[in-house]
Amino acid sequence: MINPISKLYDYVSGVESGEIVVCNYVKLAVQRFQNDLLAATEKGFLFDEEAAQKALDFFELLRFTKGKWKGKAFDLQPWQCFIVANIFGWKRLDDGNRRFTEVYVEICKKNGKTELAAAIGLIMLVIDEENTPEVYAAAATRDQAGICFKAAKSMARQSEYIRPELDILTYSLYCDYNEGTMSAVSHDADNTEGKHSSCVLFDEYHVHKTDDVKTSLRSGMAAREQPLFFTITTSGSNKQGPCYKYRGDCISILKGFYNRENLFTVIYTLDEGDDWEDPNMWRKANPNYGVSVRPQFLQEEYEKAKKNGREEVEFKTKHLDLWVDSDVTWLASELWAKGADPNIQIPADAVCYAAVDLGETSDFTAYSKYFPEYNFVTTRYYVPEDTAEYASRHGIDYKEWAEDEFLTLTPGCTTDYEWLKQDIYEDASNYDMRFISLDPWHSAMLKQDLENEMGTTYAAIRKEDGELVYDYHSKVQTFKQAAINMSPPTKLFEEMVMNTRLKHDGNPVSAWQLANVALHTDPIGNIRPDKKKSRDKIDGIVSKIMALGTYVKWHIGTENYANSGFTGII
């Protein structure tokens, strides 16, 4: 027996004695367990060690799916035994059903949260004695939901004990003897309605903007005797979202402010007042510290965080489980300033790739050009005069920037795109402008006008099999600002700025806008500037990134630039 229930009690005593270093929320969860043992009968509950051991024993039938542990039996760590034993050990005296039907676990990445959730899903599918169980791995995106489901499928396939009980299909698991199923559902797949859930494995709750998915899946549990809604998540930056509010409720329960006897919760994070830069504190948020979480890895991530605002947010939220505000500076102004080269001379006929980010008609429009031979980017800004007048009365002097020729004021209350078009036509005649990209939002007429004037470029598109197919393409292209399109050039922009490889025109409007940027990060690591979260205007940064993205898409390594030292992005 590799997962005896004694691990539960060893963990409890270790936390109480201080031998195991944890935050106050974990101490409160342990104290709650101890208090409930003393008052179980009075509360109408029973801690059934046999039932808890049955769940712990099931883990021995499973195999790890990744890394150096792949193929080895699932040897639970004491903190994991604490969670599993609480979920499956506590019973109601009145009907014998499980006490806990809701679980909220907040824990950092690399602590095995996905495999723990997947294994609990298999318990609920195979041995829960539920008629026709329906188990769903749920998340905001297909990809994130698929991670947990694929882990469960891999565990099932590797287990000689439970594999014969299951039909392992591409998108589902089917349990023959109880007609149970397990599959993945997500918000973006719009497939959460009409479920009769017995168990939901709700991953990365912090990215959900609403509770629509949770509400939909919970409503399907109404007829189940002892359903389980198992939420496991890291922290995030959306303190206005449903996860942060629910977390507050969980903390209130741990502190004894009110009772929710059907909800088990434990939160692994730092305590208020702890220095996030002190490595001695990091194990509080990482119960697998020294097991699956390597101290050296955390130190390396910390070193990156010290140099980059985005990496700092990532380190705090994903590796220390600290909730942060979104208005953290992405790239330091000092780094950006190092790349300023306002006196650079770009010769006529130099190759460039351009992009336009259209703001609201009464707001900023930004037009950027990237010259790959010189790793140089320059941006022109356009703002209506009436908007500049309003802004000057509220502390931002657009008019002074205009006087210094850092932006163009167009007459009236809306941006006159004729000024923009004339600048584009002039640049297209002076330089070898291969392509210019527009966000399709509100740009149909501008795109048509530019297409009528700018012609085509003979260029290649790489097919999925790697073949380059050459043809004539309109110089004017659309560039949707979705994460899948924006993430690669955003990361490239970040890398070039951090390593001072990107030169720019030194426009103070760009410096101001860069300081405004807040990034959106999705569950699979895609990043993009988020206009809604950012402190103020960021149109110029977006257009720079789009220009880089246009280069990445269309530059197929056919040009060799002597001056850039740029190795090419394919």
Side-chain angles (χ1 to χ4, degrees):
M1 180 182 292
I2 62 173
N3 295 317
I5 199 167
S6 58
K7 283 187 176 181
L8 159 70
Y9 296 111
D10 289 343
Y11 185 72
V12 168
S13 62
V15 169
E16 289 186 324
S17 69
E19 181 181 351
I20 299 175
V21 179
V22 295
C23 71
N24 191 50
Y25 296 143
V26 178
K27 293 176 183 177
L28 290 173
V30 166
Q31 187 60 55
R32 184 189 186 199
F33 172 74
Q34 292 284 60
N35 292 342
D36 286 348
L37 285 179
L38 294 174
T41 303
E42 179 184 339
K43 287 186 168 187
F45 301 123
L46 164 72
F47 186 68
D48 186 342
E49 289 191 353
E50 184 176 336
Q53 187 63 64
K54 179 182 177 182
L56 295 172
D57 287 342
F58 185 85
F59 280 80
E60 295 187 31
L61 309 181
L62 304 177
R63 299 292 178 266
F64 286 111
T65 65
K66 292 181 180 179
K68 65 181 181 181
W69 294 282
K70 182 176 173 63
K72 296 181 180 179
F74 204 136
D75 184 1
L76 288 166
Q77 295 300 307
W79 68 272
Q80 293 171 319
C81 288
F82 176 71
I83 293 172
V84 173
N86 266 279
I87 294 172
F88 293 99
W90 282 105
K91 299 292 183 69
R92 295 167 55 93
L93 287 176
D94 55 0
D95 56 15
N97 290 330
R98 278 192 305 274
R99 168 190 176 183
F100 292 122
T101 58
E102 290 185 48
V103 175
Y104 180 82
V105 178
E106 199 174 279
I107 193 168
C108 300
K109 291 176 65 175
K110 305 300 181 183
N111 283 273
K113 69 183 184 68
T114 297
E115 295 202 334
L116 177 63
I120 287 173
L122 289 173
I123 289 176
M124 296 296 291
L125 175 64
V126 178
I127 66 167
D128 191 45
E129 301 178 359
E130 179 77 42
N131 291 323
T132 60
E134 294 182 21
V135 180
Y136 296 104
T141 66
R142 290 181 180 90
D143 290 338
Q144 188 64 35
I147 291 171
C148 184
F149 172 71
K150 288 174 184 176
K153 190 165 72 169
S154 178
M155 285 181 183
R157 185 179 286 118
Q158 292 184 68
S159 174
E160 60 183 294
Y161 304 101
I162 67 171
R163 185 174 60 242
E165 305 294 336
L166 301 174
D167 294 331
I168 302 174
L169 308 175
T170 303
Y171 299 110
S172 66
L173 300 177
Y174 179 76
C175 188
D176 294 316
Y177 80 87
N178 64 9
E179 299 183 334
T181 59
M182 180 176 182
S183 60
V185 296
S186 63
H187 176 72
D188 63 358
D190 197 23
N191 59 354
T192 62
E193 296 290 341
K195 309 301 184 186
H196 190 45
S197 318
S198 59
C199 174
V200 173
L201 311 170
F202 199 46
D203 197 12
E204 299 297 15
Y205 188 16
H206 73 92
V207 303
H208 289 254
K209 296 180 180 179
T210 71
D211 261 340
D212 291 350
V213 173
K214 185 176 182 181
T215 300
S216 175
L217 291 170
R218 276 185 54 78
S219 66
M221 293 179 161
R224 297 289 188 176
E225 291 292 323
Q226 49 177 10
L228 178 63
F229 201 102
F230 181 85
T231 300
I232 191 161
T233 185
T234 59
S235 63
S237 59
N238 182 10
K239 291 185 177 181
Q240 286 71 49
C243 181
Y244 192 72
K245 181 180 184 302
Y246 189 73
R247 177 189 198 262
D249 293 341
C250 291
I251 291 171
S252 293
I253 291 168
L254 290 174
K255 290 182 175 180
F257 294 160
Y258 74 94
N259 288 329
R260 279 278 302 280
E261 296 292 3
N262 71 318
L263 172 60
F264 172 80
T265 183
V266 63
I267 297 172
Y268 290 90
T269 184
L270 303 190
D271 288 312
E272 186 175 351
D274 284 345
D275 181 1
W276 71 273
E277 299 188 63
D278 182 355
N280 294 318
M281 298 293 103
W282 296 348
R283 65 174 62 244
K284 285 186 177 183
N286 292 277
N288 257 19
Y289 190 84
V291 183
S292 62
V293 180
R294 295 185 299 109
Q296 182 182 351
F297 169 79
L298 286 184
Q299 184 65 39
E300 291 167 353
E301 295 299 294
Y302 165 74
E303 295 298 336
K304 289 194 293 184
K306 288 293 290 178
K307 299 177 182 178
N308 180 305
R310 179 178 70 85
E311 295 287 355
E312 180 179 326
V313 169
E314 181 78 5
F315 183 74
K316 287 180 175 178
T317 56
K318 305 311 176 196
H319 300 300
L320 299 181
D321 199 64
L322 295 173
W323 285 80
V324 300
D325 295 312
S326 61
D327 57 350
V328 176
T329 300
W330 173 30
L331 294 167
S333 58
E334 294 82 2
L335 279 174
W336 181 249
K338 287 180 180 179
D341 191 357
N343 298 317
I344 191 171
Q345 297 296 315
I346 303 295
D349 297 327
V351 171
C352 71
Y353 295 80
V356 176
D357 183 49
L358 294 176
E360 300 284 350
T361 56
S362 61
D363 211 341
F364 268 92
T365 288
Y367 160 46
S368 292
K369 301 187 296 295
Y370 173 61
F371 295 87
E373 185 173 1
Y374 302 90
N375 279 349
F376 179 78
V377 65
T378 182
T379 302
R380 292 180 181 173
Y381 295 93
Y382 306 83
V383 176
E385 287 182 342
D386 287 6
T387 299
E389 185 66 36
Y390 175 84
S392 67
R393 295 197 301 268
H394 291 79
I396 303 174
D397 203 340
Y398 293 177
K399 296 168 72 175
E400 183 176 341
W401 281 334
E403 290 171 3
D404 293 335
E405 299 184 349
F406 292 123
L407 62 79
T408 298
L409 298 182
T410 66
C413 60
T414 60
T415 301
D416 185 347
Y417 293 139
E418 289 300 320
W419 294 70
L420 168 65
K421 287 190 290 184
Q422 291 307 313
D423 284 341
I424 293 173
Y425 297 151
E426 182 179 348
D427 287 340
S429 66
N430 289 336
Y431 304 112
D432 183 1
M433 187 180 289
R434 299 292 171 88
F435 291 98
I436 181 169
S437 292
L438 309 174
D439 182 355
W441 187 78
H442 285 187
S443 67
M445 291 185 62
L446 176 61
K447 182 173 183 291
Q448 183 176 343
D449 290 344
L450 294 178
E451 284 175 334
N452 291 338
E453 294 288 336
M454 298 189 66
T456 60
T457 294
Y458 190 67
I461 291 180
R462 191 184 298 278
K463 297 172 63 177
E464 290 185 3
D465 61 5
E467 179 186 2
L468 292 177
V469 179
Y470 283 85
D471 203 346
Y472 287 95
H473 301 273
S474 172
K475 286 182 180 288
V476 186
Q477 296 288 318
T478 57
F479 194 108
K480 293 183 179 179
Q481 294 179 12
I484 193 170
N485 296 326
M486 291 292 289
S487 186
T490 301
K491 291 178 179 179
L492 175 60
F493 178 84
E494 175 184 83
E495 184 271 331
M496 294 178 76
V497 172
M498 288 184 63
N499 291 288
T500 61
R501 291 199 303 112
L502 184 65
K503 300 175 185 176
H504 58 84
D505 54 18
N507 191 324
V509 182
S510 295
W512 170 64
Q513 294 199 356
L514 181 62
N516 292 332
V517 173
L519 290 183
H520 170 80
T521 304
D522 70 16
I524 60 174
N526 289 319
I527 64 171
R528 61 174 175 80
D530 190 325
K531 291 185 177 181
K532 291 183 179 179
K533 287 186 177 181
S534 296
R535 284 192 291 260
D536 213 314
K537 309 305 178 187
I538 62 170
D539 309 77
I541 306 305
V542 171
S543 68
K544 289 176 176 66
I545 291 169
M546 290 171 62
L548 278 176
T550 305
Y551 168 79
V552 169
K553 178 177 180 180
W554 290 104
H555 172 72
I556 313 295
T558 55
E559 300 98 338
N560 294 311
Y561 300 120
N563 297 328
S564 68
F566 195 80
T567 57
I569 304 294
I570 300 176

